[in-house]
């Protein structure tokens, strides 16, 4: 699948489009065969718009437009299976950016696929090679991969965060292509950086927790620093606090961007880890009520939250659509919450 940004903007055509179903209803159902007729239609017959134009001209059909006319088929061509497998590298499709939606797709894609395959040379030895048919598509929304409200992802996230659309909207082909493109170009690298920071936070705090168990709680801070274990605990909690700072900055940015839509269970738990980390450091360095056992309880609770949060970074080891058990379980519970409530009653 191809994700491109194009220059030409046509008129928004909504004639022949059924009244949009509720935004909160599932979209990925096998009852809309006409959607693929739109995908197969000639590119010149499909309207081209920016996200802002789409929202301004016909806000009632935004999701339906993305579902039915969000991608268009450019054509198909043949390529060696070993080359294609190496270029995909486990992903469900390959994406690239372009300044125009009307391109020499066979030449452009062949060049790009060969370039990607060279990076994985030798990893996909198929024994022998044969030619397979691949299909090229274009995202039919101008500037779909732009950041913030200019692109397609941010407006959908805003609506999803306030419960105005169903989560399956992120599985639509056009949205999936944009997400994969963003993942490959910058989001994947940024998440790997976050993972390294979080790993430093988790390791430093875990060492602090283990060494703290044998600490003399009656000792003052100067006395503590004269011992090896005391130096280790102080250094590790300071490192944990430092490694936490990037996440605190990201959280503040998310709060500013999504306002009320930011409120969710996962975000509240994330904030709890920040508050606990600062509180633990303040209590430990300030030598405040260490004999009461409160600090040990806070340390144990923080450890559970940090290991729970580690699941988020399962995406580091896959693509933009990698499986996350906790996220999947959470979504299942949300979908069947009324049934669960009935069982409890």
């Amino acid at each position: 699948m191809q994700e491109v940004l194009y220059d030409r903007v046509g008129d928004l055509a909504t004639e022949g489009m059924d009244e949009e179903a509720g935004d909160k209803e599932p979209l990925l159902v096998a009852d809309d065969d006409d959607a693929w007729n739109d995908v197969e239609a000639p590119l010149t017959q499909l309207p081209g718009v920016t996200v802002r134009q789409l929202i301004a001209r016909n806000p009632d059909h935004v999701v339906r437009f993305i579902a039915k006319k969000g991608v268009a088929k450019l054509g198909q061509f043949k390529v060696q299976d070993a080359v294609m497998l190496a270029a995909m590298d486990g992903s469900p499709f390959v994406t690239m950016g372009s300044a125009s939606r009307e391109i020499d797709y066979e030449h452009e894609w062949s060049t790009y696929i060969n370039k990607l395959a060279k990076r994985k040379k030798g990893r996909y030895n198929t024994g022998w090679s044969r030619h397979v048919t691949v299909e090229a598509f274009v995202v039919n929304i101008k500037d779909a991969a732009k950041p913030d409200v200019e692109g397609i992802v941010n407006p959908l996230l805003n609506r999803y965060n306030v419960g105005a659309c169903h989560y399956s909207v992120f599985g639509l082909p056009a949205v999936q292509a944009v997400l994969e493109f963003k993942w490959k170009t910058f989001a994947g690298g940024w998440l790997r950086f976050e993972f390294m920071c979080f790993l430093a936070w988790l390791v430093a705090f875990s060492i602090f927790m283990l060494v703290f168990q044998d600490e003399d709680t009656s000792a003052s801070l100067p006395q503590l620093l004269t011992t090896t274990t005391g130096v280790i605990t102080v250094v590790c909690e300071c490192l944990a606090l430092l490694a936490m700072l990037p996440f605190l900055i990201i959280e503040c940015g998310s709060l500013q961007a999504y306002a009320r839509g930011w409120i969710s269970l996962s975000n509240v738990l994330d904030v709890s880890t920040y508050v606990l980390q600062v509180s633990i450091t303040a209590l430990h360095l300030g030598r405040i009520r260490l004999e009461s056992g409160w600090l040990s309880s806070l340390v144990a609770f923080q450890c559970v939250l940090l290991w729970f949060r580690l699941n988020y970074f399962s995406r580091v080891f896959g693509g933009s659509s990698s499986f996350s058990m906790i996220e999947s379980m959470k979504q299942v519970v949300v979908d069947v919450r009324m049934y669960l409530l009935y069982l409890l009653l």
Side-chain angles (χ1 to χ4, degrees):
M1 179 173 285
Q2 181 184 22
E3 192 282 312
V4 298
L5 310 178
Y6 55 91
D7 292 326
R8 192 179 66 183
V9 180
D11 295 329
L12 173 61
T14 57
E15 55 268 22
M17 187 179 295
D18 297 332
E19 185 67 22
E20 184 176 11
D23 283 352
K24 298 179 69 174
E25 295 298 321
L27 294 168
L28 305 182
V29 291
D31 62 354
D32 196 4
D33 296 332
D34 291 338
W36 291 103
N37 294 333
D38 290 306
V39 171
E40 299 285 347
L43 192 61
T44 54
Q45 295 182 9
L46 293 175
V49 292
T50 64
V51 176
R52 281 192 167 185
Q53 289 173 331
L54 184 60
I55 295 173
R57 296 184 186 183
N58 206 320
D60 294 333
H61 290 92
V62 173
V63 175
R64 183 60 59 184
F65 180 91
I66 296 172
K68 296 187 68 174
K69 301 180 184 293
V71 294
K73 184 177 178 180
L74 296 175
Q76 59 187 37
F77 59 97
K78 292 185 178 293
V79 64
Q80 288 187 334
D81 58 356
V83 174
M84 193 63 208
L85 287 171
M88 294 178 69
D89 193 29
S91 299
F93 45 77
V94 180
T95 61
M96 73 174 183
S98 175
S100 173
R101 67 173 179 172
E102 296 179 5
I103 61 174
D104 182 358
Y105 65 87
E106 184 171 355
H107 171 73
E108 294 288 343
W109 268 113
S110 297
T111 302
Y112 185 67
I113 289 172
N114 285 317
K115 180 181 177 181
L116 292 179
K118 287 180 180 179
R119 302 176 185 175
K120 310 294 181 181
K121 188 176 181 181
R123 288 183 56 183
Y124 291 86
N125 185 4
T126 57
W128 69 87
S129 183
R130 66 185 183 90
H131 283 83
V132 294
T133 300
V134 295
E135 296 180 322
F137 293 83
V138 59
V139 172
N140 197 39
I141 299 174
K142 179 179 172 63
D143 297 334
K146 275 194 171 183
D148 297 329
V149 295
E150 298 290 337
I152 192 176
V153 177
N154 186 272
L156 291 176
L157 275 175
N158 283 328
R159 288 190 64 79
Y160 174 72
N161 284 334
V162 297
C165 70
H166 196 266
Y167 68 88
S168 60
V169 72
F170 298 103
L172 294 174
V175 183
Q176 276 282 291
V178 175
L179 290 174
E180 186 70 15
F181 177 74
K182 285 175 173 285
W183 176 264
K184 293 296 184 182
T185 51
F186 73 92
W190 177 253
L191 188 61
R192 283 186 284 272
F193 168 75
E194 285 187 45
F195 175 65
M196 296 306 296
C197 291
F198 183 79
L199 199 60
W201 181 7
L202 180 62
V203 170
F205 186 79
S206 298
I207 295 174
F208 164 79
M209 179 185 66
L210 293 174
V211 178
F212 172 71
Q213 304 305 315
D214 300 323
E215 182 178 297
D216 182 8
T217 56
S218 63
S220 63
L221 184 59
Q223 292 173 333
L224 182 67
L225 293 176
T226 60
T227 64
T228 303
T229 56
V231 171
I232 292 175
T233 54
V234 172
V235 169
C236 285
E237 66 182 341
C238 289
L239 287 176
L241 202 61
L242 184 64
M244 182 197 74
L245 287 179
F247 298 97
L248 189 58
I249 295 172
I250 293 171
E251 205 70 57
C252 292
S254 299
L255 179 60
Q256 182 180 7
Y258 295 111
R260 292 183 179 179
W262 170 88
I263 300 175
S264 67
L265 177 60
S266 60
N267 286 335
V268 171
L269 289 176
D270 288 346
V271 171
S272 299
T273 60
Y274 311 140
V275 174
L276 281 172
Q277 187 63 59
V278 173
S279 300
I280 290 169
T281 303
L283 290 173
H284 183 251
L285 294 182
R287 317 306 289 168
I288 302 172
R289 302 187 64 181
L290 298 185
E291 296 85 358
S292 64
W294 273 102
L295 183 58
S296 297
S297 300
L298 293 178
V299 168
F301 188 47
Q302 173 75 333
C303 186
V304 171
L305 288 180
L306 289 178
W307 280 99
F308 183 81
R309 186 172 177 175
L310 183 63
N311 172 77
Y312 169 80
F313 294 97
S314 62
R315 297 167 177 81
V316 171
F317 305 103
S320 62
S321 57
S322 60
F323 177 74
S324 175
M325 183 182 68
I326 301 297
E327 288 293 326
S328 300
M329 290 176 60
K330 183 181 74 173
Q331 194 59 59
V332 169
V333 170
V334 169
D335 285 348
V336 300
R337 61 186 182 276
M338 298 307 297
Y339 177 69
L340 293 176
L341 180 61
Y342 172 76
L343 291 179
L344 291 174
L345 296 176

